[in-house]
Amino acid sequence: MAQPPPSKRALVAALDPYARLIEVGVGRRPNVARALAERGHEVVAVDVEVSEAARDAAAETRATDGGSLRVVTADVTALPTADDRAVRDALGLDAEEDGFDAVYARNLPAELQRPAVALADRFDAACLFTTLGFEEPVVDVRRRATESGPVVYVAR
């Protein structure tokens, strides 16, 4: 099996301490969310348009012991200011479920960094991400260097 990309390995390692996570902008690459679910984490992957790859990953990961991966169609720019019921509905949460421990993204573009941090604020959660590589973060962050090369940015 091919070695996972450094940004995936770095994010999975940085996110391992968190039990319940939201991935912002899962796109066509659900491999971080899947890896976390396979390690026993509960992950909700969000995107404005959920790809077939993300849906397939969620379907294949449901049987994993202890972990889960759910993909939902939602706009991360609207979630931070939506009412509680709308957020619960969008994220597929029932009334008994608590919030999240972390919001994260892989290759998070500058225009989604503020909404991702605001979503993390809403849940009093950590916010970690990698960028597209050529962009610097537009939010206040601490840089966490990783052994595999990419920098994981910690905004909360």
Side-chain angles (χ1 to χ4, degrees):
M1 180 174 235
Q3 185 77 330
S7 61
K8 174 192 170 190
R9 290 192 311 270
L11 263 178
V12 170
L15 295 166
D16 207 31
Y18 305 101
R20 301 194 69 208
L21 306 110
I22 298 173
E23 178 169 343
V24 171
V26 66
R28 293 184 186 97
R29 295 191 304 173
N31 52 3
V32 171
R34 173 187 262 165
L36 289 164
E38 288 172 350
R39 288 177 154 203
H41 302 275
E42 293 179 46
V43 182
V44 175
V46 176
D47 212 326
V48 290
E49 188 175 321
V50 175
S51 70
E52 192 171 322
R55 288 189 200 286
D56 289 348
E60 294 166 4
T61 307
R62 285 195 184 118
T64 304
D65 248 355
S68 65
L69 171 57
R70 182 173 51 220
V71 295
V72 298
T73 302
D75 182 355
V76 71
T77 63
L79 288 176
T81 57
D83 64 52
D84 288 345
R85 183 181 180 107
V87 171
R88 287 189 171 284
D89 289 348
L91 297 177
L93 301 176
D94 60 39
E96 293 83 42
E97 286 183 285
D98 290 333
F100 294 89
D101 303 314
V103 173
Y104 74 92
R106 181 175 174 197
N107 300 330
L108 188 64
E111 66 270 14
L112 294 182
Q113 291 174 17
R114 282 188 178 81
V117 171
L119 183 60
D121 284 341
R122 181 181 189 121
F123 289 108
D124 194 26
C127 183
L128 297 90
F129 60 90
T130 61
T131 64
L132 294 168
F134 57 87
E135 289 183 328
E136 283 295 312
V138 296
V139 295
D140 289 335
V141 294
R142 284 178 319 175
R143 286 165 169 75
R144 184 184 292 178
T146 64
E147 289 179 21
S148 56
V151 174
V152 175
Y153 297 99
V154 181
R156 279 190 44 84

